[in-house]
Amino acid sequence: MINRVDMLADIQEVLVTEEAIAARIAEVGRQISEDYRGKCPIVVGVLKGVVPFFAAMTQAITIPIQEDFMSVTSFEGGTESTGKLTFRKDIDHDIAGRDVLILEDILDSGRTLKMIVELFERRGPRSVKICTLLDKPTGRTEDLAADYVLFTVPDAFVVGFGLDYQDYYRNLPFVGVLKPEVYRT
Ligand code: IMP
Ligand code: MG
């Protein structure tokens, strides 16, 4: 276990401020409310990184929705996707005939979301769409694009607003680049 006494000291650069996140969530919330008017989608959050984003995003959606969560992991605590995916928790709802909107913290290689989308598609939903807080297109190995992207980030390991390194930094209210020396030591 590392003892992170000063989270801010470990941040190299702030990429997305708290204010920018709030403004963009309001904007995309309006868009989603318009796009799904009359549909009552099931909004599925991918734990744990989505928690702050899920809380803010769902409140910015003004139409009725149902909420659900699933837990998958593709990281073993490092900064590179291992490619080995484990399902930890499935959703509770039956999604047959339903409109599903998946909320994710970051779309990197695309492996996690691709696996979730493929699993959901086999259950006969009416539609499956993806809304991601961050998109890191340089990391992509799968042919997958999000339907709603709040911010595009460069090829760097980022933390904050739910994103973690070894479960640390999730509680930072902004998104920043983690100093490489933090994970190289
Ligand atoms: P993917 O399967 O490679 O698209 O990875 C998605 C998951 O990897 C995300 O849900 C994050 O948990 C994690 N991840 C990818 N890039 C980063 C990053 O820059 N910082 C923190 N977590 C990341
Ligand atoms: Mg993570």
Side-chain angles (χ1 to χ4, degrees), residues 167-180:
D167 268 339
Y168 289 99
Y169 309 104
R170 293 192 195 275
N171 57 328
L172 284 173
F174 56 82
V175 174
V177 177
L178 189 63
K179 284 181 181 167

Side-chain angles (χ1 to χ4, degrees), residues 46 49 74-75 79 81 85 104-113 136 139 156-159 163-165 170:
V46 185
S74 68
F75 273 25
T79 61
S81 198
L85 295 159
E104 201 8 343
D105 55 357
I106 186 166
L107 177 54
D108 184 11
S109 74
R111 277 193 287 263
T112 308
L113 279 171
K136 198 197 280 184
F157 192 77
V158 297
V159 294
L163 290 119
D164 74 302
Y165 172 63
R170 293 192 195 275

Side-chain angles (χ1 to χ4, degrees), residues 12-159:
Q12 184 170 293
E13 180 197 352
V14 175
L15 281 184
V16 192
T17 64
E18 204 175 339
E19 294 74 23
I21 294 171
R24 189 77 182 111
I25 284 175
E27 206 170 87
V28 177
R30 278 193 294 274
Q31 185 65 52
I32 290 172
S33 306
E34 238 171 73
D35 295 351
Y36 284 90
R37 196 159 304 283
K39 283 186 172 161
C40 191
I42 296 190
V43 180
V44 175
V46 185
L47 296 172
K48 297 179 265 189
V50 82
V51 168
F53 178 49
F54 191 92
M57 193 70 235
T58 53
Q59 288 195 357
I61 298 174
T62 53
I63 56 161
I65 57 169
Q66 287 183 299
E67 301 184 2
D68 212 333
F69 292 97
M70 75 181 313
S71 178
V72 185
T73 178
S74 68
F75 273 25
E76 312 274 85
T79 61
E80 301 272 329
S81 198
T82 56
K84 239 187 71 203
L85 295 159
T86 325
F87 272 105
R88 286 200 177 137
K89 185 214 172 295
D90 200 348
I91 49 172
D92 302 325
H93 283 268
D94 177 6
I95 56 168
R98 299 292 305 270
D99 294 292
V100 181
L101 179 63
I102 303 169
L103 297 193
E104 201 8 343
D105 55 357
I106 186 166
L107 177 54
D108 184 11
S109 74
R111 277 193 287 263
T112 308
L113 279 171
K114 194 167 186 193
M115 184 179 70
I116 294 172
V117 168
E118 282 173 358
L119 176 79
F120 284 0
E121 292 288 5
R122 290 200 289 273
R123 298 175 177 174
R126 184 157 68 178
S127 70
V128 179
K129 286 191 176 179
I130 296 167
C131 172
T132 188
L133 171 66
L134 306 176
D135 186 9
K136 198 197 280 184
T138 49
R140 201 81 88 253
T141 60
E142 308 297 322
D143 180 22
L144 189 82
D147 302 278
Y148 305 93
V149 174
L150 278 78
F151 301 96
T152 301
V153 292
D155 186 18
F157 192 77
V158 297
V159 294

